[in-house]
Amino acid sequence: MVKDNATLTLDIDPGKHLMRIFFLAVLLVTSFPFATPALAQQVRVALVIGNGAYEKVAELPNPTRDAADIGRALERLDFKVTQVKNATAQEMRKSVVEFGRSAEGADLAVVFYAGHGMEVSGENWLIPVGAELRSDTDIESEAISLRSVSLQVSKARKLGLVILDACRNNPFAAKMRRSLSTRAVARGLAPTEPSDNVLIAYAARDGTTASDGDGRNSPFTASLLRHIETPGLEISFLFRRVRDDVMAATRREQQPFVYGSLSKEEIYLRAPVASAQAPVASAPAPADAAEDEKFWLAIQTSTVAGLYEEFLTRYPRSSHAAEARQRVKNFKANEVAVLSSPAAPPKPDAKTVVRNLFAPEDNQKVAAIAAAQQLKLPSYAISPDQNDPLNANSRFVGVWSNKRGWTNGKGRYAMLIVTEVSATGLAKGHYLWGPPTKASWVKDEAGYRSFAEYIVNDKFSISGTPVTVRMDKNVLTLSSVNKENPTEKANIELRPVWKLVPAPEDASSKREKTSQPRAAKKESAAEPSPSGNVSGTSMEERYRACRKLVKGFARREACARTGVI
């Protein structure tokens, strides 16, 4: 139930005044531990670059897919992700410099790069798609040094991490002209020595090359995707698992390697699952069967098929096995659909699109609706970065409601709060439902579920529920199916209480604006106001003439009397 903001009224009696201040101080002190997790929330930033469409050498099929999948995984880990695809040297330099600025105030800063990389005289370089590299002397002007990337991530307070899936067999090295006989162009990448708070992970150890793979992802990225979202997996053990996976997949021909050292403080990309309160002595310890539930909670918002395949391998008899198999099937089908789609949806015109701000009065309006519909309102914040460009899915961001419940008012109330949508289409927010009605399929109490789902073709499904969300113009239609009776369906149309991107004028508003001129035109046709004289020698003749031209008794009388309209 939503709690209204409390208002303190101070009594004139100073004794009561002091007692209330003392009580308020105690309340704040005792409440402080509950606010700690929010205050301790980390700031995380990531730059993800995938270069595959090389202009002077053969294309690499996997880097752009590797980068897209890693970017989505990092978004689910609460990183603010900047994605760069098939970048030129200028685009890469700009993105690295801008990322360094955001890394200054961050706890964790991660750069993932997939594409060609090479060593020249002990220096490692990342190769943009437009590089030609006819000579070794061209490397500094046409490529990006790993050292410059390492310096930018080192600005993070806790950890700077550079992940390079860039050790592929490099076609540039064979054709480059050497300016000096001592200036070597080596196979793979050179070893590196990062600063204290930086780790650099290679897909293959220095001096060796990595496989691009035959599937959607390279062996290195596929293993990274399998483990990166595992809760409670410390960063060092994450790369140990990746090493073992890749060596097994490549028959020990490729060995990932991590350079750098950290302090004894444990670092997690996904924190351990919070354990339940300790049971009383007589209560039995939780069974091992709960492990599949923990794993499922950790991956249930993921869109990486490999995580669900890993779940099925570990827990084939879990109650979630059927859903995991279905998700693997759906995700692979979506991949085929996305790859075969002709083009991405057009971006909104930056010149015409204006952002709304979520003001205090908007928050009050949402709270009032939630209270009236008995919705449990979660803690949420909508404060979009004004520097972030809007994208085609930004129109989902908002608070959506209906004055009536599901199935035209027969079911419970619902509200959808979409707090943000990333450039890759990851929507985050909360789905709220009210108390059940007689027509409700499930009789659970009012509550809400947080979600992080990808928008595909203007729709997404909320994990853990049978609810699908679809946008049509300025309406979000929620649809659901009764699990007990699949032929029974329900829907509700939600309209915006507040939207980040104002909706274009709908037909009703256009009709309202155009109705006035039409009415005026009709009125002028029915009540002409011609100017001039009316013929007729007598007042009676002039009145008959004025009657045809002028409406209203007073105007006709004046016209008949004077003969002037």
mmCIF file of all heavy atoms in Angstrom, residues 28 83 86-87 144 215 247 305 338 366 385 392 400 406 408 418 504 509 547:
data_model
loop_
_atom_site.group_PDB
_atom_site.id
_atom_site.type_symbol
_atom_site.label_atom_id
_atom_site.label_comp_id
_atom_site.label_asym_id
_atom_site.label_seq_id
_atom_site.Cartn_x
_atom_site.Cartn_y
_atom_site.Cartn_z
ATOM 1 N N LEU A 28 15.406 8.640 12.516
ATOM 2 C CA LEU A 28 16.374 8.740 11.422
ATOM 3 C C LEU A 28 17.576 7.840 11.672
ATOM 4 O O LEU A 28 18.068 7.172 10.758
ATOM 5 C CB LEU A 28 16.834 10.190 11.251
ATOM 6 C CG LEU A 28 15.789 11.158 10.681
ATOM 7 C CD1 LEU A 28 16.326 12.583 10.732
ATOM 8 C CD2 LEU A 28 15.424 10.773 9.256
ATOM 9 N N GLN A 83 27.896 1.784 -26.844
ATOM 10 C CA GLN A 83 28.259 0.801 -27.851
ATOM 11 C C GLN A 83 28.708 1.489 -29.133
ATOM 12 O O GLN A 83 28.077 2.436 -29.594
ATOM 13 C CB GLN A 83 27.090 -0.141 -28.139
ATOM 14 C CG GLN A 83 26.820 -1.100 -26.994
ATOM 15 C CD GLN A 83 26.052 -2.331 -27.425
ATOM 16 O OE1 GLN A 83 25.162 -2.255 -28.256
ATOM 17 N NE2 GLN A 83 26.390 -3.473 -26.860
ATOM 18 N N ASN A 86 31.764 -1.046 -35.761
ATOM 19 C CA ASN A 86 32.520 -0.814 -36.992
ATOM 20 C C ASN A 86 33.028 0.622 -37.061
ATOM 21 O O ASN A 86 32.679 1.399 -37.950
ATOM 22 C CB ASN A 86 31.658 -1.152 -38.218
ATOM 23 C CG ASN A 86 31.328 -2.629 -38.305
ATOM 24 O OD1 ASN A 86 32.144 -3.475 -37.943
ATOM 25 N ND2 ASN A 86 30.137 -2.956 -38.774
ATOM 26 N N ALA A 87 33.861 0.964 -36.094
ATOM 27 C CA ALA A 87 34.292 2.352 -35.896
ATOM 28 C C ALA A 87 35.548 2.674 -36.697
ATOM 29 O O ALA A 87 36.447 1.844 -36.860
ATOM 30 C CB ALA A 87 34.551 2.601 -34.414
ATOM 31 N N ILE A 144 44.559 2.621 -32.550
ATOM 32 C CA ILE A 144 44.391 3.112 -31.177
ATOM 33 C C ILE A 144 45.243 2.255 -30.260
ATOM 34 O O ILE A 144 45.142 1.019 -30.276
ATOM 35 C CB ILE A 144 42.908 3.032 -30.728
ATOM 36 C CG1 ILE A 144 41.997 3.666 -31.785
ATOM 37 C CG2 ILE A 144 42.727 3.699 -29.371
ATOM 38 C CD1 ILE A 144 42.273 5.110 -32.078
ATOM 39 N N GLY A 215 30.303 -20.325 -34.485
ATOM 40 C CA GLY A 215 28.944 -20.003 -34.056
ATOM 41 C C GLY A 215 28.689 -18.513 -34.043
ATOM 42 O O GLY A 215 29.383 -17.727 -34.703
ATOM 43 N N MET A 247 39.976 -23.299 -23.181
ATOM 44 C CA MET A 247 40.985 -24.332 -23.414
ATOM 45 C C MET A 247 40.331 -25.665 -23.748
ATOM 46 O O MET A 247 40.811 -26.409 -24.606
ATOM 47 C CB MET A 247 41.904 -24.464 -22.196
ATOM 48 C CG MET A 247 42.815 -23.266 -21.994
ATOM 49 S SD MET A 247 44.086 -23.542 -20.740
ATOM 50 C CE MET A 247 45.163 -24.691 -21.601
ATOM 51 N N ALA A 305 21.074 -17.002 -24.705
ATOM 52 C CA ALA A 305 20.616 -18.391 -24.725
ATOM 53 C C ALA A 305 21.584 -19.311 -23.988
ATOM 54 O O ALA A 305 21.166 -20.290 -23.362
ATOM 55 C CB ALA A 305 20.432 -18.852 -26.172
ATOM 56 N N VAL A 338 15.940 -10.911 -36.166
ATOM 57 C CA VAL A 338 16.675 -9.639 -36.152
ATOM 58 C C VAL A 338 17.682 -9.584 -37.292
ATOM 59 O O VAL A 338 17.837 -8.578 -37.974
ATOM 60 C CB VAL A 338 17.384 -9.456 -34.791
ATOM 61 C CG1 VAL A 338 18.329 -8.273 -34.844
ATOM 62 C CG2 VAL A 338 16.360 -9.251 -33.698
ATOM 63 N N VAL A 366 1.093 10.308 -9.941
ATOM 64 C CA VAL A 366 1.250 8.852 -9.993
ATOM 65 C C VAL A 366 0.907 8.239 -8.636
ATOM 66 O O VAL A 366 0.219 7.219 -8.555
ATOM 67 C CB VAL A 366 2.691 8.479 -10.408
ATOM 68 C CG1 VAL A 366 2.916 6.974 -10.290
ATOM 69 C CG2 VAL A 366 2.973 8.946 -11.825
ATOM 70 N N ASP A 385 19.327 11.192 -18.537
ATOM 71 C CA ASP A 385 20.477 12.043 -18.810
ATOM 72 C C ASP A 385 20.167 12.881 -20.041
ATOM 73 O O ASP A 385 19.911 12.357 -21.129
ATOM 74 C CB ASP A 385 21.716 11.167 -19.058
ATOM 75 C CG ASP A 385 22.989 11.992 -19.118
ATOM 76 O OD1 ASP A 385 22.897 13.204 -19.370
ATOM 77 O OD2 ASP A 385 24.072 11.419 -18.925
ATOM 78 N N ALA A 392 14.590 5.231 -30.959
ATOM 79 C CA ALA A 392 13.230 4.897 -31.388
ATOM 80 C C ALA A 392 12.387 4.319 -30.258
ATOM 81 O O ALA A 392 11.161 4.439 -30.272
ATOM 82 C CB ALA A 392 13.290 3.913 -32.554
ATOM 83 N N TRP A 400 2.381 4.475 -17.188
ATOM 84 C CA TRP A 400 1.211 4.112 -17.988
ATOM 85 C C TRP A 400 0.130 3.524 -17.079
ATOM 86 O O TRP A 400 0.417 2.674 -16.238
ATOM 87 C CB TRP A 400 1.606 3.095 -19.059
ATOM 88 C CG TRP A 400 2.736 3.557 -19.935
ATOM 89 C CD1 TRP A 400 4.067 3.570 -19.633
ATOM 90 C CD2 TRP A 400 2.620 4.099 -21.248
ATOM 91 N NE1 TRP A 400 4.791 4.076 -20.679
ATOM 92 C CE2 TRP A 400 3.937 4.409 -21.686
ATOM 93 C CE3 TRP A 400 1.549 4.344 -22.106
ATOM 94 C CZ2 TRP A 400 4.190 4.952 -22.936
ATOM 95 C CZ3 TRP A 400 1.803 4.887 -23.352
ATOM 96 C CH2 TRP A 400 3.104 5.178 -23.766
ATOM 97 N N TRP A 406 -8.221 -4.770 -15.856
ATOM 98 C CA TRP A 406 -8.114 -5.719 -16.961
ATOM 99 C C TRP A 406 -9.510 -6.098 -17.475
ATOM 100 O O TRP A 406 -10.500 -6.054 -16.738
ATOM 101 C CB TRP A 406 -7.406 -6.989 -16.501
ATOM 102 C CG TRP A 406 -5.918 -6.882 -16.433
ATOM 103 C CD1 TRP A 406 -5.175 -6.350 -15.430
ATOM 104 C CD2 TRP A 406 -4.992 -7.328 -17.426
ATOM 105 N NE1 TRP A 406 -3.833 -6.435 -15.729
ATOM 106 C CE2 TRP A 406 -3.685 -7.034 -16.943
ATOM 107 C CE3 TRP A 406 -5.115 -7.954 -18.662
ATOM 108 C CZ2 TRP A 406 -2.539 -7.342 -17.672
ATOM 109 C CZ3 TRP A 406 -3.973 -8.262 -19.383
ATOM 110 C CH2 TRP A 406 -2.707 -7.961 -18.902
ATOM 111 N N ASN A 408 -11.689 -4.739 -19.566
ATOM 112 C CA ASN A 408 -12.703 -3.681 -19.543
ATOM 113 C C ASN A 408 -13.291 -3.459 -18.153
ATOM 114 O O ASN A 408 -14.491 -3.229 -17.988
ATOM 115 C CB ASN A 408 -13.820 -4.004 -20.545
ATOM 116 C CG ASN A 408 -14.612 -2.768 -20.944
ATOM 117 O OD1 ASN A 408 -14.114 -1.647 -20.873
ATOM 118 N ND2 ASN A 408 -15.851 -2.967 -21.351
ATOM 119 N N VAL A 418 8.036 2.506 -16.871
ATOM 120 C CA VAL A 418 9.265 2.255 -17.628
ATOM 121 C C VAL A 418 10.224 3.398 -17.325
ATOM 122 O O VAL A 418 10.006 4.534 -17.745
ATOM 123 C CB VAL A 418 8.986 2.151 -19.140
ATOM 124 C CG1 VAL A 418 10.271 1.820 -19.901
ATOM 125 C CG2 VAL A 418 7.918 1.097 -19.417
ATOM 126 N N PRO A 504 2.949 12.484 -30.611
ATOM 127 C CA PRO A 504 2.441 13.383 -31.646
ATOM 128 C C PRO A 504 0.958 13.588 -31.486
ATOM 129 O O PRO A 504 0.264 12.788 -30.850
ATOM 130 C CB PRO A 504 2.767 12.639 -32.945
ATOM 131 C CG PRO A 504 2.900 11.213 -32.542
ATOM 132 C CD PRO A 504 3.455 11.233 -31.156
ATOM 133 N N SER A 509 -7.281 15.397 -31.128
ATOM 134 C CA SER A 509 -6.841 16.768 -30.911
ATOM 135 C C SER A 509 -6.871 17.551 -32.208
ATOM 136 O O SER A 509 -7.148 18.743 -32.234
ATOM 137 C CB SER A 509 -5.426 16.777 -30.316
ATOM 138 O OG SER A 509 -4.507 16.186 -31.202
ATOM 139 N N ARG A 547 -34.893 40.287 -44.867
ATOM 140 C CA ARG A 547 -35.163 39.008 -44.238
ATOM 141 C C ARG A 547 -34.378 37.881 -44.912
ATOM 142 O O ARG A 547 -33.974 36.909 -44.270
ATOM 143 C CB ARG A 547 -36.671 38.727 -44.305
ATOM 144 C CG ARG A 547 -37.092 37.487 -43.533
ATOM 145 C CD ARG A 547 -38.599 37.341 -43.586
ATOM 146 N NE ARG A 547 -39.029 36.178 -42.824
ATOM 147 C CZ ARG A 547 -40.292 35.794 -42.688
ATOM 148 N NH1 ARG A 547 -41.265 36.527 -43.279
ATOM 149 N NH2 ARG A 547 -40.611 34.735 -41.986
#
